[in-house]
Amino acid sequence: MCGIVAYFGKKAAQPILLEGLKRLEYRGYDSAGVALMAGNTFEQHKTSGRIANLEEVLPAVNAAQTIGIGHTRWATHGEPNTTNSHPHTDATGKITLVHNGIIENYATLKKWLLKEGCTFQSETDTEVLANLIGYFYTQEQDKDGTACEHFERAVQKALNEIYGTYGLAIMCADCPDMMIGVKKGSPLILGVGENEFVLASDASAIVEHTTRAVYMSDGEMVIIHADGFTTKTITNKEVSKELKDIEFSLDQIELEGFEHYMQKEIAEQPEALHTCLNGRIDLKNGRVILGGIQNLLRDLTRTKRIIMTACGTAWHAALVGEFLFEQLARIPAEVEYASEFRYRNPIVEEGTVVIAISQSGETADTLAAIEQAKERGATVLGVVNAVGSTIARLTDAGVYLRVGPEIGVASTKAFTAQVSVLAMLAVELGRRRHLSADAAQTILTELAKIPQKVESILAQQEHIKAIAQANIHKDNWLFLGRGFNYPVALEGALKLKEISYIHAEGLPAAEMKHGPIALITDDMPAVFVATQCSQYEKVIGNIEEVRARGGKTIVVATEGDDHIAPYADYLITVPDTIEQLQPLLTVVPLQMLAYHAAVLRGHDVDKPRNLAKSVTVE
Ligand code: AGP
C-alpha cells in the first residue's frame, strides 16, 4: 500500500523523508516522490520505480528546506509512472499533498473542476483532491483571515465533498510554517519530537525520531505549526488527543543480521510467542487473563455464535479458531472472508460476537466487515498486532498479539500469534462454560511449551532448504491436511505462492478424491501435514493414493513417528503436541519451505511482486 512520511522541524527534511520512505518500502510500492519547502516555495521530485531512482534525481540537500512530504505509491488509479506518482500539486501551484487511500467520487469532481477551469497533469484521484483544495483556497482568499486560516478552511471544505479514504499530508506555499495531516480510512500517526514532528502511515517511519505519538482517528485533522499542533475534525470541531508511547523500538525493525525480514520473523517466533503468552496464562487455575476483553467476557460466554472475519493468513488463523471455539468452548463458530461478508448483507442475530483478525489493523475489507457487523448490533472484538491501528480503535475491545512489527509481506509470526490468542480465548470461554480445570491446564501447559518446540524446528533450516532446492522447479504444488492441520495446508500454499510465485493449492486431504487427484503426477509435489492426530490413519491413506499415482510427497510428521518414513519422499518432523495446538508447529516448516523456495528462485522475499503488506484499498 502507499506510504506517507512528512517532516516538520528544524533539520533538513530531505534525508529524513528518504529514510522514512525506506522504512515503509515493505508496504509495497511502484513509485516515490517528495516535496520540500523553503520560504514560500516548494520543490517537487518524483520518479517511478524504487526509492533508489528517486535518490538519483534529488538535488544536494538544502538545509533551508526543513519541511517536506514524501510518498511511496502503490497504483490504484493511473499506471505506475512519474506523472502519476505523488506528491500532487493543484493547478495554481500553491497546494501540494501526498495521499494514501482512494477518492471514490474523483471522476465526478474532476469533471466539475475541469468545467471550473482547473487543469490536470495525471490520471490520479489524488490530483483531483489537490485541485479541489486549490479551488476552495482561491475562493477563501477573497475573504477575511490569514493565508493559514484560508488553507485550513479550504482543506475542510474539500474533504467534506469527498467520498473515500485518505491519509494525507498537505502543504501550502503561502503557509511555509504550517502542515496539515488528515485521516479517514487509511492509517496516519503523528510523531511528536523535540520541536519537530513526523507524520507517517505507520510507526516504523517515526520511531528513530521519537517514541511519542498521537494516533489519528477517522475524520480528524492535525494542524502543525512551529510552536506545536492542534487537532480538530474536518467539520472544524476541536478534538483533544493524548500522546501515547510507540510500543516498539528501531532495532525491532532493523534486520538484525538476517537476510530478510521474513527470515527474521520466522526465527523470532519462539520469542514472539513467549511475549504473546506472557502474563496471560494462569496454569494453576487453568484460566486465561486477556486484559483487553475482560469487560466483554460475560457477553462472549453467553454468545450463541462467533463469526470471525479476516483476509489471507489471518483468515487461515481464524479457521483454526473456529475449530478451537467449537471443540474447547462448544460455541458455534464460523469464518467469513471479510471481502465477502461486507457485501452479503449477512445475518447477525442478537448476541452474536464478531472477531476481526488482522495483523496490520488497516485492511480495508476487514474494516468494512467490522462496520457491517456493528451496524447489525454485534459485539466486535479485534485480534490485532499493530497497536493503535484503525481496527484496534474501531472494535469494542480486543487482544493485541504483542509480537512486534511484522515487516515481511508474507505473514509468519502473526499467524502463530493469532492462533495462540484464539486458543487462549477458546480455553477461557470454555472454562466459563463446560471445560474442566484439568482439561484447561493440559492445554495451557502444552501452549506454554510451544515457543521452545518451535525453536527445535528452526534448527532444521538446512534440511528444509535442501527440500526446497529439490522442488523449486516444480510449477504446481498441493498442500494437504485434515482437521486442525487443514488450515495449515491452506496457509502453507499461500506462503509458497505469494513469495516464490509457484502455483500452490491447499485442500482438506480427503477432498483430493473429489477432483484434485486428477492432477497428481511426479511433477507436482504433494505436501502432507501428517502429524499424529485423530485422523492420522486417514491421512496416511491419502498419501498412499498420491504415491500410487507416482506423486512425490513432502511430509510433515511427528518426531519419533517411525511408521511414516515409507510414505515420504521428503520428511520433516516437528515435536509432538496436542492436536488443537499442532498448527503452531506444523506451519513453521511450511513457512521455511516457502522462504527458501523464494530465495532460491531469486525473488524479493520481503517485497513480492504486486503485493503489499497492508491492503488498505478494496
Ligand atoms: C499473508 O502472508 C498476506 N500478506 C496477506 O494474505 C495478509 O494476511 C492479508 O492481507 C491480511 O492482512 P492483515 O492481517 O494485516 O489484515
Side-chain angles (χ1 to χ4, degrees):
M1 286 305 90
C2 303
I4 287 175
V5 184
Y7 176 75
F8 185 107
K10 301 268 184 272
K11 301 171 190 150
Q14 182 181 313
I16 292 172
L17 295 179
L18 282 174
E19 193 48 43
L21 292 179
K22 286 174 183 171
R23 297 241 181 271
L24 298 182
E25 280 192 289
Y26 73 88
R27 298 165 64 86
Y29 72 105
D30 44 53
S31 55
V34 294
L36 298 153
M37 179 96 94
N40 286 77
T41 53
F42 49 74
E43 279 174 33
Q44 192 169 283
H45 307 282
K46 51 188 190 177
T47 60
S48 58
R50 292 290 188 211
I51 291 170
N53 299 359
L54 176 63
E55 288 182 297
E56 281 173 14
V57 301
L58 281 174
V61 172
N62 173 352
Q65 294 169 332
T66 61
I67 301 174
I69 57 178
H71 188 264
T72 49
R73 177 175 183 249
W74 191 74
T76 54
H77 293 77
E79 63 180 76
N81 61 28
T82 300
T83 308
N84 289 331
S85 52
H86 302 203
H88 283 287
T89 303
D90 80 306
T92 70
K94 294 275 190 184
I95 304 292
T96 187
L97 59 81
V98 289
H99 168 224
N100 176 18
I102 286 187
I103 309 292
E104 304 207 352
N105 60 332
Y106 84 98
T108 315
L109 290 168
K110 185 166 186 174
K111 209 179 288 175
W112 175 73
L113 286 165
L114 284 165
K115 281 207 195 95
E116 294 293 316
C118 284
T119 54
F120 289 84
Q121 311 302 318
S122 78
E123 311 155 80
T124 65
D125 55 339
T126 302
E127 190 186 8
V128 173
L129 176 56
N131 261 323
L132 191 61
I133 295 170
Y135 173 83
F136 286 120
Y137 180 62
T138 305
Q139 276 192 347
E140 285 296 317
Q141 288 173 305
D142 300 338
K143 299 173 185 172
D144 294 345
T146 65
C148 293
E149 288 162 344
H150 295 157
F151 173 34
E152 187 181 321
R153 242 195 319 275
V155 169
Q156 289 176 341
K157 281 190 169 181
L159 291 178
N160 281 293
E161 298 299 322
I162 291 293
Y163 298 109
T165 57
Y166 44 80
L168 293 167
I170 316 168
M171 299 193 297
C172 172
D174 297 338
C175 309
D177 295 326
M178 177 178 173
M179 181 184 285
I180 293 179
V182 205
K183 179 203 187 306
K184 179 175 179 278
S186 292
L188 193 67
I189 303 171
L190 174 70
V192 182
E194 289 300 317
N195 303 316
E196 62 180 11
F197 301 93
V198 180
L199 267 176
S201 302
D202 77 39
S204 54
I206 294 174
V207 284
E208 62 185 299
H209 304 288
T210 178
T211 57
R212 306 284 285 146
V214 169
Y215 289 91
M216 307 283 289
S217 296
D218 281 357
E220 291 178 346
M221 61 195 290
V222 59
I223 299 95
I224 303 169
H225 290 285
D227 57 358
F229 66 94
T230 54
T231 46
K232 53 177 69 173
T233 66
I234 59 170
T235 52
N236 208 30
K237 293 186 182 59
E238 295 295 320
V239 174
S240 67
K241 301 290 288 182
E242 61 171 309
L243 266 178
K244 294 188 175 179
D245 287 329
I246 293 174
E247 303 215 344
F248 59 80
S249 60
L250 196 52
D251 65 351
Q252 278 185 305
I253 298 171
E254 296 296 351
L255 276 170
E256 288 178 349
F258 288 95
E259 203 181 330
H260 300 101
Y261 284 113
M262 182 184 181
Q263 185 189 32
K264 174 170 174 267
E265 288 147 12
I266 291 172
E268 271 176 349
Q269 287 180 113
E271 180 197 348
L273 292 178
H274 182 74
T275 311
C276 176
L277 300 172
N278 193 25
R280 291 172 161 173
I281 293 177
D282 170 3
L283 276 185
K284 181 167 167 293
N285 300 303
R287 299 303 289 261
V288 168
I289 306 101
L290 295 171
I293 59 167
Q294 286 307 321
N295 59 335
L296 283 180
L297 274 170
R298 186 186 304 277
D299 288 355
L300 268 167
T301 306
R302 286 202 300 256
T303 188
K304 295 185 186 58
R305 184 160 72 115
I306 291 176
I307 298 175
M308 285 169 281
T309 186
C311 303
T313 288
W315 189 93
H316 298 149
L319 190 57
V320 179
E322 173 182 319
F323 305 156
L324 288 163
F325 286 124
E326 291 190 345
Q327 261 201 29
L328 305 183
R330 305 305 295 156
I331 298 175
E334 68 193 67
V335 191
E336 294 274 1
Y337 280 110
S339 54
E340 291 297 313
F341 184 79
R342 68 180 291 192
Y343 289 116
R344 215 189 49 234
N345 189 17
I347 295 172
V348 180
E349 306 96 339
E350 174 74 28
T352 298
V353 169
V354 171
I355 302 178
I357 301 171
S358 172
Q359 187 288 130
S360 64
E362 301 298 344
T363 300
D365 284 326
T366 310
L367 274 165
I370 293 167
E371 300 285 1
Q372 288 292 323
K374 294 183 91 161
E375 277 171 23
R376 290 164 174 74
T379 299
V380 185
L381 301 188
V383 174
V384 173
N385 193 31
V387 173
S389 58
T390 305
I391 290 178
R393 284 175 289 118
L394 196 58
T395 44
D396 300 307
V399 183
Y400 281 127
L401 300 183
R402 295 190 327 202
V403 293
E406 187 178 71
I407 308 292
V409 166
S411 190
T412 50
K413 63 178 180 177
F415 174 82
T416 44
Q418 286 158 355
V419 171
S420 300
V421 166
L422 293 170
M424 286 191 280
L425 183 53
V427 167
E428 181 56 20
L429 295 182
R431 292 285 285 114
R432 292 163 176 256
R433 293 161 71 104
H434 325 287
L435 192 67
S436 70
D438 282 356
Q441 282 162 338
T442 302
I443 297 162
L444 295 175
T445 302
E446 273 304 312
L447 185 56
K449 292 177 185 168
I450 291 293
Q452 86 248 19
K453 291 187 174 183
V454 170
E455 196 73 60
S456 69
I457 301 168
L458 297 173
Q460 301 180 56
Q461 199 74 249
E462 288 312 308
H463 172 56
I464 293 172
K465 181 177 175 181
I467 296 173
Q469 177 70 63
N471 290 281
I472 50 168
H473 303 300
K474 312 284 184 186
D475 292 334
N476 296 287
W477 294 31
L478 271 184
F479 286 74
L480 303 142
R482 284 176 177 250
F484 279 88
N485 286 313
Y486 155 41
V488 176
L490 301 182
E491 175 60 9
L494 175 61
K495 288 283 97 47
L496 185 72
K497 69 182 125 181
E498 70 173 320
I499 57 173
S500 73
Y501 315 149
I502 293 172
H503 177 252
E505 183 180 359
L507 287 168
E511 271 300 295
M512 266 226 305
K513 56 185 172 299
H514 299 287
I517 199 160
L519 293 170
I520 294 299
T521 68
D522 64 357
D523 216 22
M524 172 186 260
V527 181
F528 279 94
V529 184
T531 42
Q532 281 171 342
C533 62
S534 55
Q535 300 188 54
Y536 176 74
E537 293 304 333
K538 297 289 183 194
V539 176
I540 294 294
N542 297 139
I543 293 176
E544 284 177 315
E545 288 163 6
V546 166
R547 291 176 63 82
R549 291 161 178 80
K552 292 286 179 286
T553 57
I554 299 171
V555 178
V556 177
T558 305
E559 266 168 24
D561 176 354
D562 49 18
H563 174 69
I564 194 76
Y567 301 96
D569 293 288
Y570 305 91
L571 180 61
I572 304 166
T573 59
V574 297
D576 192 16
T577 188
I578 58 172
E579 192 162 340
Q580 293 85 348
L581 301 181
Q582 285 185 5
L584 293 167
L585 300 179
T586 54
V587 76
V588 177
L590 306 189
Q591 294 169 347
M592 295 162 75
L593 205 50
Y595 171 76
H596 287 297
V599 171
L600 289 166
R601 282 168 67 105
H603 296 323
D604 186 344
V605 173
D606 286 329
K607 298 188 282 298
R609 67 187 181 200
N610 308 333
L611 286 177
K613 180 60 183 170
S614 173
V615 185
T616 57
V617 292
E618 288 199 23

